[in-house]
Structures are given as C-alpha cells and as structure tokens.
Amino acid sequence: MNQTASEASAKIYSPELARAIGKVKWRVLPLFVVMFIANYIDRVNIGFVRPHLSADLGIGAAAFGFGAGLFFVGYALFEVPSNMMLQRFGAKAWLTRIMATWGIAATAMAFVQGEMSFYALRFLLGVAEAGFFPGVVYYFTRWLPRAERGKAMAVFLSGSAAASILSGPVSGGLLQVEGMGLHGWQWMFIIEGLFSVLLCGAVWFILDSDPKDAKWLSDIERNALVGEIALEQKERESEQPSHASAWKLLRDSQIALFCLIYFLISLTIYGTTFWLPTIIKKMGHYTELQVGLFNSIPWIISIVAMYVFAALAQRFKFQQGWAAAAFAVAGVGMFASASTANPVYGFVAICFAAIGFKAASSLFWPIPQSYLDVRIAAAVIALINSLGNLGGFVAPAAFGMLEQRTGSIQGGLYGLAIASLLGAVAVFFARNRPKKGAPGAPATVAG
C-alpha cells in the first residue's frame, strides 16, 4: 500500500541513517542555496542595465523586453533535454556543467554589441540554466528519503527569497564600478558571471552523483542511506507506473489549468522584476546603489507576507481561497500603480502588489502537489514550471513594445492587473483531488 505523507513524516530512522541524512543536508543545502542566489541574480540583473544598454548600444524598450524574455524561451525548450542528460552523466558532472556554462553566458553579456548579440546571449543563458531547478529536485530524490525532501526543498527555495533581496543592492553597487575601459554595466555582468564560473569548482568538489560515492560518510552511514533510498525505489517500481507524455498530461484539463495559473503568476513576477528599476528611477535622482536598495523593498515586504499567507492557509483550510485572495491583492496593487501619475505612489502600489503575487506563487504549488499522483508529480511539476515560466517571456516583451509605442508602461501594468484578477478566478477551478481516471489520478495499488 502507498505510504502517505503523514506516515512518511512520522517515520523513525535508525541512528546511522539519521546521521547520514544530517550530513547530506549540511553538505549540499548551503551550496544549493548559494547556487540558487547566483542563478537568480544572473537571470534578472538585466533589469538594472536597461538605460545603459539604451544609451551605449541603442537597444530600445521593445528590443530590451524581447531580449529579456528570450531567456525563458531557451529555458523552456531545453529543460527536459537537460534533465535527460543529468540522468545520463550524473548530477555532479551535469550540475557543474550547468553552472559553468551559465556563468560564461552571463559574463559574455558584458560584451553585447547590439540587438542581435543581446538576443543570442539571453537565449543562450536560458539554454545554459535549463535543468538546474529540476536537477536539484532529482538530486534530492537520490540522496534523501521521501519524508526529508519537502524540508530540503523549503530550505533550497529560501535562496529565491534571499536572491530577491540581494539582487538589487549587489547589482546596483557593481554598476558603480568603472575602469580598464569598461562601463559599470559591463563590470556587473563580468563580476556576477565569473562568480558563477568560480562556484562551479565548489560544485565539482562538494557534490557526488550517488550516495555510494560519498567518502565523507562512514561505511555504516552510507549503507543505511543507500539501503533506504533503494527500498523506496523498489516500492515505486512495484507500483509499475505508466509513462505519460507531456501532451497526454495536458489533456487533463486540471494540469492545463495549473500551467495557465502559473503562467499568470510568472507574468506579474517577471513583468515587475524587469521593469521595477525603471519605475524607481522615475522617483528621483538616485545612484545605482540607491536604486538597488529601493528595489529590495517590495521583495522584503512580499517575503513577510508570503509566510503570513501560508500560516493563514494552514490554519484556515481553503488553499484556493487564500490563493485567490493573494491574486486579488496583486491585481488591486497593479491597477493602483497603473492609475497614478506619481511614480512614488506607483512604487508604493507595486509594493502592495508584491504582497499578492509572491504569496500567490507560494500558495499555488500545494494545489497541484495535492492533486498529482506522487509517481508522476516530479515530471508534471517540471512541465508546469517550464510552460508557466513562459510568462517571463511574454511580460517583458509586451512591456517593451508598449513603452516603445506609447512612451509609457501604464498599459502593461493594467495588463498585469487583469492577469492577476483572471488568476483569482481561475484558481477556484483548480482541484486538490483528481477525478478517477485522470492522468494525475493515483492508481489503485494492491497492498
């Protein structure tokens, strides 16, 4: 019979296995958090250099938005092939490769010459980063028992929260570096990109692909961990899960709905991420560092709100209702930001909107996780993440076109407000339990 989440969390480990799990966490989780921070900064630092790309290279608003979004096209196209390569070559080699190539691509952004090279490097950065997030998820399945993976993922995802706060001050500070004939925006790309390149050395020396290779575990700890993971794998194989293609999964209307909801979340998050520094610059004459510090404010507020919403959803059980409320807050904030001509009020309104769209993101994921059979959950979540993240292409591309044609991003903000309100409605149609026979439905297993 399938082991439930509550049964798994209540499982008591032997002292040897408990020590092994503790050593794994202390060895890899800090590294994964730092990798996630570097990953996020290299992905979104483009938002801080938009005026510099315009002044130095003549890259207009439409070209900037299109190029910023091309990252997500490359990411979506190559995420599944990258995961296949990770399983073939092992996590140690492939995660090191991912870090090295994305660091090189991020560094090369310093030498963009015009629109075409800008497009090409943003697309290549997405290709290079593809597979990182699901690769870490896969690593956890090979190194941690089922009951420990959720806690490990929570720690790993904290890297996103830290990166949201750090990206502004770090990138803003580096933009003030000048010398050797290079502009501050070039130094920002070089320093942040080379950090990722250097970090791949730590990845190579710290990570092992398989617990059997872990010399830092004692023999008894290694055997206990390998035995537990093998036992869980045997249980999964005994269930004989059937393979479901992406197209078959998408024929389940619920999975398609999950992709739509996450697409709407990504629209708002990345539309704000790439254009927030521009909004801040309109508030006054600030240094690059000051712009970066202001940029951190909405994310700090949103992280606090995210935990408050999560606590409320846990206490008052109605996940869809709380997610809808968060979407509504985001919609109201975006509408208020679009409706005012005062950039200071607009910034305050975006801070309010950030409370909603970050909380909506964290409240959304438990819904598909509850709906999906655990045997296909990882693959479907990767599919939702891949397709949903295309919102990161649509939002900046649309913002850029609107600003170039109208001289304002007001239309884009109204669009994000509408998208958030649409999400508030759509999430009420999302189910926590599948209908019998749906691709995500749990199969009947004899026990």
Side-chain angles (χ1 to χ4, degrees):
M1 183 173 289
N2 288 338
Q3 185 184 38
T4 67
S6 60
E7 289 169 342
S9 62
K11 188 171 183 178
I12 299 175
Y13 299 121
S14 67
E16 297 79 13
L17 179 57
R19 286 199 303 270
I21 292 170
K23 287 184 178 181
V24 170
K25 288 182 176 179
W26 279 107
R27 186 176 180 88
V28 304
L29 281 179
L31 176 63
F32 283 151
V33 169
V34 174
M35 290 172 69
F36 203 174
I37 292 172
N39 173 271
Y40 184 89
I41 289 176
D42 285 337
R43 176 185 299 193
V44 305
N45 58 11
I46 194 73
F48 297 95
V49 302
R50 187 196 149 210
H52 303 281
L53 295 179
S54 176
D56 295 343
L57 303 176
I59 295 177
F64 169 81
F66 182 75
L70 274 176
F71 168 92
F72 298 95
V73 177
Y75 192 94
L77 289 175
F78 285 86
E79 183 164 84
V80 172
S82 181
N83 287 340
M84 294 170 64
M85 292 298 100
L86 182 140
Q87 293 184 52
R88 179 176 179 181
F89 294 106
K92 176 188 178 78
W94 199 249
L95 287 175
T96 302
R97 194 284 305 163
I98 289 175
M99 278 257 39
T101 52
W102 104 44
I104 292 169
T107 304
M109 287 292 299
F111 306 102
V112 165
Q113 297 297 312
E115 291 181 2
M116 294 310 296
S117 57
F118 176 58
Y119 295 158
L121 284 172
R122 282 295 293 179
F123 180 81
L124 288 175
L125 181 62
V127 172
E129 288 192 20
F132 168 64
F133 184 88
V136 171
V137 175
Y138 175 76
Y139 192 90
F140 287 152
T141 66
R142 297 295 305 272
W143 282 83
L144 291 173
R146 183 183 305 165
E148 300 297 322
R149 291 174 206 151
K151 290 176 276 188
M153 278 301 299
V155 175
F156 172 61
L157 291 173
S158 69
S160 174
S164 297
I165 297 170
L166 292 174
S167 60
V170 170
S171 297
L174 291 176
L175 282 171
Q176 299 181 94
V177 177
E178 297 283 346
M180 298 178 64
L182 298 176
H183 298 292
W185 64 270
Q186 293 175 298
W187 279 114
M188 184 202 75
F189 283 129
I190 290 170
I191 293 171
E192 291 179 348
L194 287 179
F195 176 80
S196 296
V197 173
L198 294 174
L199 189 59
C200 76
V203 177
W204 179 260
F205 285 107
I206 292 176
L207 294 186
D208 293 297
S209 291
D210 193 276
K212 295 177 183 177
D213 303 324
K215 306 296 185 184
W216 38 273
L217 293 175
S218 68
D219 290 341
I220 192 169
E221 291 168 346
R222 189 183 311 113
N223 291 337
L225 182 61
V226 169
E228 181 68 18
I229 300 299
L231 179 61
E232 288 190 357
Q233 178 64 25
K234 186 176 180 181
E235 291 174 352
R236 285 194 294 269
E237 291 174 353
S238 68
E239 294 169 350
Q240 298 179 344
S242 59
H243 174 73
S245 69
W247 294 115
K248 181 178 179 181
L249 291 170
L250 284 173
R251 285 202 297 270
D252 179 355
S253 60
Q254 278 296 298
I255 294 176
L257 179 62
F258 295 148
C259 291
L260 171 63
I261 293 170
Y262 195 58
F263 176 84
L264 296 172
I265 292 171
S266 297
L267 275 177
T268 310
I269 289 178
Y270 287 109
T272 303
T273 297
F274 289 127
W275 248 260
L276 184 57
T278 300
I279 295 171
I280 294 169
K281 285 179 181 294
K282 293 179 180 179
M283 292 166 49
H285 299 289
Y286 299 118
T287 67
E288 301 289 359
L289 178 58
Q290 289 171 328
V291 170
L293 290 170
F294 270 112
N295 190 84
S296 298
I297 293 174
W299 308 116
I300 294 172
I301 295 171
S302 69
I303 289 166
V304 175
M306 188 169 59
Y307 284 104
V308 171
F309 267 91
L312 289 171
Q314 186 175 21
R315 183 174 180 181
F316 304 102
K317 308 289 185 182
F318 186 25
Q319 196 75 18
Q320 287 89 338
W322 288 108
F327 268 118
V329 169
V332 170
M334 284 298 173
F335 185 84
S337 180
S339 301
T340 179
N342 187 314
V344 176
Y345 293 154
F347 176 75
V348 172
I350 285 182
C351 290
F352 183 77
I355 292 173
F357 60 69
K358 286 295 282 186
S361 179
S362 64
L363 291 168
F364 161 73
W365 284 112
I367 299 173
Q369 286 173 335
S370 298
Y371 176 83
L372 296 166
D373 183 342
V374 294
R375 291 169 288 167
I376 63 169
V380 179
I381 287 171
L383 177 68
I384 295 168
N385 183 62
S386 181
L387 295 180
N389 264 325
L390 288 175
F393 168 73
V394 174
F399 263 60
M401 291 176 60
L402 285 168
E403 182 175 4
Q404 186 149 316
R405 292 182 180 181
T406 67
S408 170
I409 61 172
Q410 184 182 43
L413 293 172
Y414 277 127
L416 295 184
I418 294 170
S420 295
L421 295 177
L422 178 60
V425 175
V427 77
F428 277 113
F429 294 91
R431 293 197 303 269
N432 295 75
R433 294 288 182 271
K435 292 181 179 179
K436 187 175 181 181
T444 301
V445 180

